[in-house]
Amino acid sequence: MNDFTVQIHGAEDGESFRQREGHRSLLRSALHAGVGFPYECHSGGCGSCRFELLEGEVDVLWPQAPGLTDRDRRRNRYLACQCVARSDIRIKVTATAPYRPKVPPRVFRARFVEASQVTHDITEFRFVGEGPAEFLPGQYALMQLPGVEGARAYSMSNTPNPQGEWHFQIRRVLTGKGSTYLMEHLRPGDSLEVDGPYGLAFLRTESPRDIVCVAGGSGLAPVVSIARGAAEAGMLDSRQLHFFYGGRAPRDICGDHFLRRLPGYSERIQYYPIVSLPEEGSDSVWKGEIGFVHELVRRTLAGRLKDLEFYFAGPPPMSQALQEMLMVEYQVPFEQIHFDRFF
Ligand SMILES: Cc1cc2nc3c(=O)[nH]c(=O)nc-3n(C[C@H](O)[C@H](O)[C@H](O)COP(=O)(O)OP(=O)(O)OC[C@H]3O[C@@H](n4cnc5c(N)ncnc54)[C@H](O)[C@@H]3O)c2cc1C
Ligand code: FES
């Protein structure tokens, strides 16, 4: 692959950038160049990075990516996270400053050090990368895994640090290629290509509001990072943090273990677990809340929702239910709601 120029028609933020040799997607080239190209998942699922090709040619990396419809394809639209330029190109997309990376992403090698079990299907993986680990709490990185097509996005569960430590809490997906590679084939000492940080659902330290973290399934890591980041930044001296975790069954419940180590636990930090199937996979009787996590948020915080800062991560149905409840039913201002959908 050679370097190619990408011209953006009608751009508000960055009129052109170079797709450099070795960059794995047009989107990564744009963000590495500091251009505010719209995106969310980097995984071909959300469609946020869609653009129209006006001139030139691109190679599509994952033709079946669900983030594009057939209509999009007929209209010469592509996903920037799933294509690379094959010539100089001209494209139409609305690039805007909020998408410009706050911490410049970089590609580096990270060495796998150790893993520990969080639940029956979530494992924490600890890596050490070259140089300091610079990211904002709540962000994610892209991993290139041997024998796996495309990158996989994983959120950091720790906070930025000079030692270069990157911690990820990864849920096993039964037929999943990336998570199976990590759980079954990765050995201490192995190193992987990592690219990041990315993501817009990062901790807003300037917000004066109390914080609500909501996670379901594999969404644990970014909200643990948000809670840790808020504690480290001294935000919890003057704010409350409400942490909700929704699982399918009692054995899925997690998160409390990490919060207990933070100063202010139980005074300034409250933890609320809920399961939707209390009898599944467990011999003991679940005595806690039953239902969906967004309903528990409503029951616990109704009346105050408009005054809070929300961070959430998890499966698309959970994110969808929370968005509808907060934005449509309770008209919580959009600027107070931060999430990256997991695909
Ligand atoms: C922003 C974000 C943050 C995430 N953070 C976490 C986290 O902290 N912990 C966690 O457990 N999971 C996280 N995920 C989910 C994670 O990225 C994977 O989707 C999940 O681990 C399943 O991957 P898999 O390879 O095991 O499954 P698979 O079914 O093999 O792959 C599913 C994923 O790979 C993508 N994909 C599939 N085929 C291709 C292809 N040919 N080319 C390119 N992409 C392809 C899909 O869009 C999907 O994201 C996150 C996802 C996103 C978008
Ligand atoms: S960012 Fe490309 S489809 Fe989500």
Side-chain angles (χ1 to χ4, degrees):
M1 194 207 302
N2 297 314
D3 283 12
F4 296 115
T5 300
V6 183
Q7 286 284 341
I8 304 179
H9 170 81
E12 281 174 33
D13 187 70
E15 287 175 355
S16 71
F17 61 92
R18 299 280 289 167
Q19 179 190 279
R20 302 267 172 219
E21 170 102 40
H23 270 175
R24 291 187 180 271
S25 73
L26 203 65
L27 178 61
R28 295 205 212 183
S29 292
L31 297 172
H32 277 252
V35 172
F37 206 106
Y39 77 102
E40 188 179 324
C41 71
H42 263 288
S43 305
C46 71
S48 305
C49 65
R50 196 171 41 211
F51 69 89
E52 189 180 334
L53 182 63
L54 302 175
E55 273 175 49
E57 287 178 82
V58 296
D59 277 333
V60 175
L61 306 173
W62 186 23
Q64 304 80 17
L68 274 188
T69 61
D70 289 342
R71 187 157 178 263
D72 286 328
R73 292 186 174 92
R74 284 197 300 276
R75 293 178 149 207
N76 223 20
R77 289 185 178 146
Y78 295 86
L79 295 174
C81 70
Q82 301 301 332
C83 76
V84 287
R86 195 160 19 124
S87 67
D88 290 346
I89 58 175
R90 204 160 69 84
I91 65 173
K92 191 171 169 190
V93 69
T94 309
T96 55
Y99 289 102
R100 198 183 301 156
K102 299 259 181 300
V103 177
R106 65 187 175 98
V107 178
F108 58 94
R109 302 292 301 179
R111 184 170 46 84
F112 170 52
V113 180
E114 59 181 359
S116 59
Q117 210 64 30
V118 177
T119 66
H120 68 106
D121 65 354
I122 298 179
T123 305
E124 179 166 296
F125 291 84
R126 297 182 166 211
F127 287 83
V128 175
E130 297 148 359
E134 289 171 342
F135 58 89
L136 301 170
Q139 288 195 299
Y140 65 89
L142 298 173
M143 274 188 205
Q144 223 60 47
L145 303 167
V148 178
E149 265 186 81
R152 294 296 183 268
Y154 291 112
S155 310
M156 283 68 81
S157 60
N158 61 334
T159 51
N161 61 85
Q163 305 84 357
E165 290 195 24
W166 299 74
H167 300 176
F168 303 95
Q169 293 168 342
I170 298 175
R171 182 164 168 265
R172 182 187 203 115
V173 175
L174 273 184
T175 53
K177 295 195 182 86
S179 59
T180 301
Y181 173 83
L182 288 161
M183 308 274 169
E184 289 185 5
H185 301 293
L186 188 68
R187 297 283 170 264
D190 289 353
S191 76
L192 297 174
E193 180 190 306
V194 176
D195 181 5
Y198 294 109
L200 305 168
F202 52 81
L203 178 66
R204 269 52 177 188
T205 46
E206 70 286 0
S207 160
R209 287 175 277 275
D210 287 352
I211 298 167
V212 183
C213 292
V214 190
S218 55
L220 177 68
V223 288
V224 167
S225 177
I226 294 276
R228 287 173 163 163
E232 282 176 18
M235 294 174 77
L236 304 185
D237 298 345
S238 55
R239 299 170 187 78
Q240 293 280 329
L241 186 142
H242 304 274
F243 192 108
F244 294 82
Y245 188 85
R248 208 175 134 82
R251 63 182 182 159
D252 297 328
I253 290 303
C254 54
D256 194 34
H257 166 79
F258 303 104
L259 301 179
R260 280 177 185 274
R261 298 173 181 191
L262 300 178
Y265 179 81
S266 91
E267 289 151 34
R268 303 221 147 259
I269 302 175
Q270 270 85 37
Y271 174 71
Y272 313 88
I274 183 166
V275 302
S276 52
L277 295 172
E279 277 150 29
E280 192 179 274
S282 166
D283 297 335
S284 57
V285 180
W286 172 256
K287 296 198 180 94
E289 297 279 353
I290 299 170
F292 292 120
V293 69
H294 70 284
E295 289 298 345
L296 184 58
V297 174
R298 186 208 303 275
R299 284 203 291 280
T300 312
L301 300 170
R304 306 183 45 205
L305 291 171
K306 270 182 128 161
D307 304 323
L308 302 166
E309 198 81 29
F310 290 87
Y311 299 90
F312 50 87
M318 183 203 90
S319 294
Q320 187 68 30
L322 274 163
Q323 279 176 72
E324 278 169 20
M325 184 181 92
L326 297 175
M327 293 178 190
V328 182
E329 265 186 75
Y330 290 92
Q331 276 133 41
V332 177
F334 186 67
E335 310 74 59
Q336 290 166 223
I337 303 175
H338 315 286
F339 61 92
D340 285 316
R341 282 168 296 171
F342 283 18
F343 290 93

